[in-house]
Amino acid sequence: MCGIAGVLRIHDPGAEPPPHHESIPASWLDVLDDSIKHRGPDGAGRFRDRAVRPDGSTVDVALVHRRLSIIDHEFGHQPMVSIRGADGGVHPPSLQGGEGLPRSEAPPSSPYLPMADGPLPIPVYDATGLTPSTDLIAVSFNGCIYNHRELRQELESLGHAFKTDHSDTEVLIHGWREWGLHMQDHLDGMYAFLLWDRRHTQLAWGRDLVGEKPLYSSRWDGTRVFASTANAIATMHQVRTPDEPVADTWTSEWLRFGAESVPPIDAHESNPAEWIVTPKDPPRGGTIPRKIGALDPVIAVRRIGHIARGSRGNKLSFENRASELIERAVTSRLDADVPLGVFLSGGLDSALIVAIAHKHRPDLRAFTVRMPHPDYDESVEAVETAAAIGVEHTILDCDPHPADDLVKLIQELGLPFGDSSLLPTYWVSRAAREYIKVALSGDGGDELFGGYRRHTIAPMLARWRHALRLIPTSFLDKRTPGSKTTYLARLAIAARFGGYPELLAIFPTPDLTRLIPSVKMFAAEDVDDPLTHDFNAYLPNDLLRKTDTASMSVGLEVRAPFLARELVDAALRTPLDVLMPPRNGQPERKGLLKCIARAYLPDHVIDRPKQGFAIPIGDWFRTDYGGMRSLLHDHLRSAEPFPGLADVGVEINMRFVEKMLDEHDAAGENSLNPWHGRDHSQRLYMLLVLSIWARWLSQIAPAPPPRGAGDRPGRVRLDPETPESRSSDP
């Protein structure tokens, strides 16, 4: 687990490029490094190179890395560099540099770079002086390849010589040489990477199949910048909000769902399962589908997440297959050279993972964090679960500072992320980090096995849409969270406006149109497969982004066994009526998973009602717990709550915002009579994080332009018709 970043510049044929260190100035790399350093407290490194293509164009590349050391402390340093010599050998990739690879800066005496208060010398691999024919590959990688030991054996049998002891990073180097873009088909892991292939003058980049690890990029005038955080991209070249109509689109989508796949800045987030390489020489494992520009993507592979479900089959065969895959997934994620534990809540998913992990590693510890509000605390249930399993269990107390923590997290992420469970996820990670460096979690169980209430009502929504539309809109305005009135209202709104996706909306369409009068109405969408919809949208854009942001803020690696490649593939192929078999005339949420779990857990743990991982954000907005009310009102009642948005045509109706603030307070004062107010907990939270983000974005300073770059624009619009704005399937 790490932070990665990089810069790619391509100079036109015939043009005289500036010197490499002026083409990609150190100040750029410093900005990128500073934006990702919280993700890697254990080490740092950089790589530079320049190569000339057959057409005469000059390619400059620089990679930046911050390391969270989990596997192979001694030899796993990055950027990892491999030079294949005339004898077919591979020079050892290490912090000291490979043979024949000069260094622009002398590394410190120790190859392991601990963070300190003062600046540390960062080793820089400078390959710009190597001969053009040098077969060099450099990689900056974030994540973990869980099957790296098996892949190492396979690649060694094919003639590849490994020089590290057991680094999973080196598998990417040899895998690229052997399989090219088809290496994706061999990996089981969570990852984002930047890989420079000097001989082919190509930079490749990509993400894992599900989207556990982030990768953002932006481009302008022959330059492309990459980073693990949107923060780094925004800071890199003073990106502001996009021009119309782009701004109007992202504002409505982000306010509607609290998270989206298209960042609300002029940047692109690589899609899950998307691998891309710059053109010129056709990449091994792929073909160039059409003539494209020097910075356009060549190929994108997207398979998982678009699998057609099979027809109804034998439930027992599905159960046996899934049980085998879950056990294999958990055991594969127990490999680490650092302390490893398991998160344990009161729910089924984490309990099953703890039970399997404890079976294979009896010394493993489970951790539960006691939440600051008793209604949202599952520590009592977790104690019962741990006792039933027999695992060593530790209850941790978190030290929440909601207002300060929220500002910190939004600025580190660089996006207005609207899921308030980001805060408790951060507190859990921070508390557990005192004991462990790797944690297993239950992410993905709900999306793969049908764990949400909305998964069972999607068919009913489609069936009764016309009748639900008859409910008068005046009935929908006064309601409280969790009530039957709220439940019926959300169904009626979904039937009338957005269909199934509307059930996930923070701002349902009627509220969104009052908040932004210019927003376009959303067409109602029939979703036959709600699990696959959530797997492709809600899981990567919300849950995995939340987990990555919260855990990497404190240097904790979180692994999700349910997202193992084989298990995901099998679950997405399993019929819905097998995943959620009928019970009392209704689909049973996680019915198949519960059957599997009964081999590991007692019934009282399996049949315990589901409790969401949440905080009482609405009450905190009324009581000022942790400074949350003060933060809310300081932002939303300031002279300019959303700096910069009006400049690009996004007009937020502040009268409606004021009304929401007043209604929310009134709902608390008249909790026994909710018709006197309305709870706007999550909507106000979304507006708060939008305000925090907009204020931060308006205050950041840009990185200086390189020599010869001319007037580098501060705002670069992303053409919605370019390949980057949509996934492509060759």
Side-chain angles (χ1 to χ4, degrees), residues 128-457:
T128 56
L130 297 180
T131 59
S133 60
T134 304
D135 184 357
L136 176 150
I137 289 179
V139 64
S140 185
F141 157 63
N142 166 31
C144 185
I145 307 301
Y146 301 119
N147 62 337
H148 68 99
R149 297 181 188 272
E150 294 86 347
L151 292 178
R152 178 180 286 243
Q153 292 179 356
E154 180 179 354
L155 288 163
E156 285 177 335
S157 71
L158 295 171
H160 293 266
F162 283 75
K163 297 300 180 180
T164 64
D165 184 71
H166 60 286
S167 170
D168 58 335
T169 305
E170 193 179 3
V171 166
L172 299 179
I173 290 174
H174 295 283
W176 178 261
R177 282 194 166 119
E178 183 66 34
W179 299 308
L181 285 166
H182 283 314
M183 176 170 61
Q184 183 195 59
D185 299 330
H186 298 261
L187 302 180
D188 176 28
M190 57 176 178
Y191 53 81
F193 70 89
L194 299 168
L195 186 146
W196 168 241
D197 186 336
R198 191 178 204 268
R199 188 161 63 94
H200 294 88
T201 59
Q202 292 176 330
L203 183 73
W205 63 95
R207 292 177 72 193
D208 59 71
L209 298 178
V210 180
E212 292 185 74
K213 294 292 102 184
L215 184 62
Y216 300 89
S217 66
S218 186
R219 63 180 182 176
W220 72 91
D221 296 342
T223 302
R224 188 189 292 270
V225 179
F226 305 87
S228 293
T229 65
N231 169 314
I233 300 297
T235 307
M236 179 63 196
H237 60 100
Q238 201 176 9
V239 175
R240 292 296 179 260
T241 50
D243 294 331
E244 298 178 86
V246 179
D248 185 64
T249 300
W250 75 249
T251 304
S252 60
E253 289 296 324
W254 275 78
L255 284 170
R256 189 184 183 202
F257 297 116
E260 255 294 318
S261 59
V262 179
I265 55 174
D266 292 333
H268 168 69
E269 183 177 20
S270 296
N271 292 309
E274 185 176 68
W275 285 38
I276 297 173
V277 66
T278 53
K280 296 304 178 187
D281 292 343
R284 295 175 307 285
T287 58
I288 299 177
R290 55 187 172 77
K291 186 177 180 180
I292 50 182
L295 288 178
D296 287 321
V298 168
I299 190 170
V301 181
R302 295 202 70 199
R303 293 173 183 166
I304 281 193
H306 297 272
I307 297 173
R309 293 196 185 274
S311 58
R312 181 174 176 82
N314 183 281
K315 179 176 176 293
L316 183 60
S317 65
F318 284 108
E319 182 180 329
N320 292 337
R321 173 66 172 156
S323 180
E324 173 189 341
L325 292 177
I326 293 172
E327 182 136 359
R328 188 185 306 168
V330 173
T331 56
S332 70
R333 281 147 178 80
L334 298 176
D335 181 14
D337 298 336
V338 295
L340 180 147
V342 187
F343 286 151
L344 179 61
S345 68
L348 171 63
D349 297 342
S350 66
L352 179 57
I353 290 172
V354 170
I356 296 174
H358 177 65
K359 172 184 172 183
H360 294 273
R361 285 272 304 271
D363 62 322
L364 211 64
R365 296 174 65 182
F367 295 88
T368 303
V369 173
R370 185 182 290 109
M371 286 290 105
H373 194 290
D375 291 347
Y376 297 83
D377 178 37
E378 294 184 273
S379 59
V380 173
E381 291 82 358
V383 168
E384 295 178 355
T385 300
I389 296 171
V391 67
E392 183 179 353
H393 184 224
T394 302
I395 299 290
L396 304 173
D397 285 305
C398 62
D399 182 24
H401 302 278
D404 294 338
D405 294 340
L406 179 60
V407 173
K408 170 184 180 292
L409 291 167
I410 294 302
Q411 291 180 357
E412 285 182 352
L413 175 61
L415 296 173
F417 185 67
D419 187 341
S420 61
S421 64
L422 173 65
L423 284 170
T425 306
Y426 171 69
W427 298 331
V428 167
S429 299
R430 186 172 61 189
R433 184 62 178 82
E434 297 294 322
Y435 298 83
I436 56 176
K437 207 170 182 179
V438 177
L440 271 58
S441 81
D443 284 346
D446 287 316
E447 290 72 27
L448 290 175
F449 292 94
Y452 299 123
R453 189 181 189 184
R454 60 179 180 265
H455 292 159
T456 64
I457 66 174

Side-chain angles (χ1 to χ4, degrees), residues 682-705:
Q682 299 305 321
R683 285 175 285 280
L684 291 177
Y685 180 86
M686 182 67 235
L687 290 173
L688 172 59
V689 296
L690 180 64
S691 179
I692 292 170
W693 171 79
R695 183 179 294 182
W696 165 79
L697 194 64
S698 69
Q699 295 171 349
I700 58 176

